Amino acid sequence: MQAGRAGLDRVTGLHTQIVGLERANRHVAAVPVGEHLRSRGVCTPGLLATTAATSGLVELTWTRVEGRPPRANRADVMACARLLARIHEALKDFDGASIHGDFHPGNVLFPLDGGPPVVLDLEDTWRQDSYLLDVAFALDRFVAQRFEGESRDMAEALFLDTYADVRGFPVPRHELPRWRRQMAVYALQALLDGGPGTWDALEWRKQLDCAR
């Protein structure tokens, strides 16, 4: 089995994922975050079990969510903005996590049964950082990389306005460029810590592009 492999067991309704030990430990450490979010009405799968695999790999077993990724349209932009705002609201009174840390379209699912969107992958919630880091990252992934020209400007305004409606205060938009640059700093730190194989070439380009 390969690290990072994921699969669905349609008989038991479980989702399995094979990861390295360090990443598995981060997922386990994030279990209380998931429990807290669910207690606040934020949908996120629960980690049910961890099983040692081979060569330092660990199999994680989650509750299964059948859904689709976010689409580049007005409704999904608003839904994802609301979801991020609800995550931040829920984490205000949680000791040990303040942001999601990796909020992008690959970590959000819209259930096929029409339920509210589900957030995945809480392994980076250990970061104690400004909510603006999450917002800047989300704008890059949900808007800048999916819309062009005037549509991009409109989608960004829609995301920020929707987020602000849930939080009850406006997002200081003039501060977002600084947090985009901070994302590039984190990318460089990841390279120094983990080496060139930490992310693939496309991921590096995304990180650097969003900081410009």
Side-chain angles (χ1 to χ4, degrees), residues 130-152:
S130 169
Y131 74 94
L132 290 174
L133 179 64
D134 262 355
V135 172
F137 187 73
L139 286 175
D140 176 69
R141 299 309 174 90
F142 287 92
V143 177
Q145 295 183 20
R146 310 182 101 199
F147 295 86
E148 296 181 356
E150 291 184 2
S151 294
R152 178 185 297 177

Side-chain angles (χ1 to χ4, degrees), residues 73-74 77-78 139 142-144 147-162 173:
N73 60 40
R74 178 185 178 90
V77 166
M78 294 177 67
L139 286 175
F142 287 92
V143 177
F147 295 86
E148 296 181 356
E150 291 184 2
S151 294
R152 178 185 297 177
D153 295 338
M154 293 175 62
E156 179 168 318
L158 182 63
F159 189 102
L160 292 174
D161 289 345
T162 303
R173 304 184 187 199

Side-chain angles (χ1 to χ4, degrees), residues 32-52:
V33 182
E35 294 173 346
H36 179 79
L37 289 176
R38 287 189 292 275
S39 74
R40 298 297 190 274
V42 177
C43 297
T44 186
L47 178 61
L48 302 178
T50 62
T51 306

Side-chain angles (χ1 to χ4, degrees), residues 16-188:
T16 61
Q17 184 180 23
I18 305 297
V19 300
L21 181 59
E22 181 181 354
R23 188 177 179 192
N25 288 337
R26 292 203 304 269
H27 278 295
V28 171
V31 167
V33 182
E35 294 173 346
H36 179 79
L37 289 176
R38 287 189 292 275
S39 74
R40 298 297 190 274
V42 177
C43 297
T44 186
L47 178 61
L48 302 178
T50 62
T51 306
T54 60
S55 302
L57 300 179
V58 178
E59 180 177 88
L60 306 178
T61 303
W62 309 82
T63 51
R64 186 184 74 191
V65 177
E66 287 199 28
R68 62 167 179 83
R71 299 178 179 133
N73 60 40
R74 178 185 178 90
D76 282 12
V77 166
M78 294 177 67
C80 291
R82 282 193 292 266
L83 176 59
L84 182 60
R86 292 180 61 214
I87 291 171
H88 289 162
E89 280 293 300
L91 291 179
K92 285 194 309 183
D93 61 350
F94 184 81
D95 184 22
S98 60
I99 64 173
H100 180 275
D102 196 23
F103 192 78
H104 62 77
N107 281 335
V108 176
L109 283 177
F110 284 76
L112 299 182
D113 62 7
V118 176
V119 63
L120 311 174
D121 193 0
L122 303 178
E123 65 174 301
D124 290 316
T125 53
W126 55 268
R127 285 181 176 170
Q128 291 293 318
D129 228 324
S130 169
Y131 74 94
L132 290 174
L133 179 64
D134 262 355
V135 172
F137 187 73
L139 286 175
D140 176 69
R141 299 309 174 90
F142 287 92
V143 177
Q145 295 183 20
R146 310 182 101 199
F147 295 86
E148 296 181 356
E150 291 184 2
S151 294
R152 178 185 297 177
D153 295 338
M154 293 175 62
E156 179 168 318
L158 182 63
F159 189 102
L160 292 174
D161 289 345
T162 303
Y163 178 93
D165 286 344
V166 176
R167 298 299 309 271
F169 58 81
V171 175
R173 304 184 187 199
H174 64 282
E175 294 187 23
L176 292 176
R178 176 170 70 88
W179 287 101
R180 289 190 172 104
R181 291 192 294 271
Q182 185 64 42
M183 288 159 55
V185 172
Y186 283 136
L188 178 60

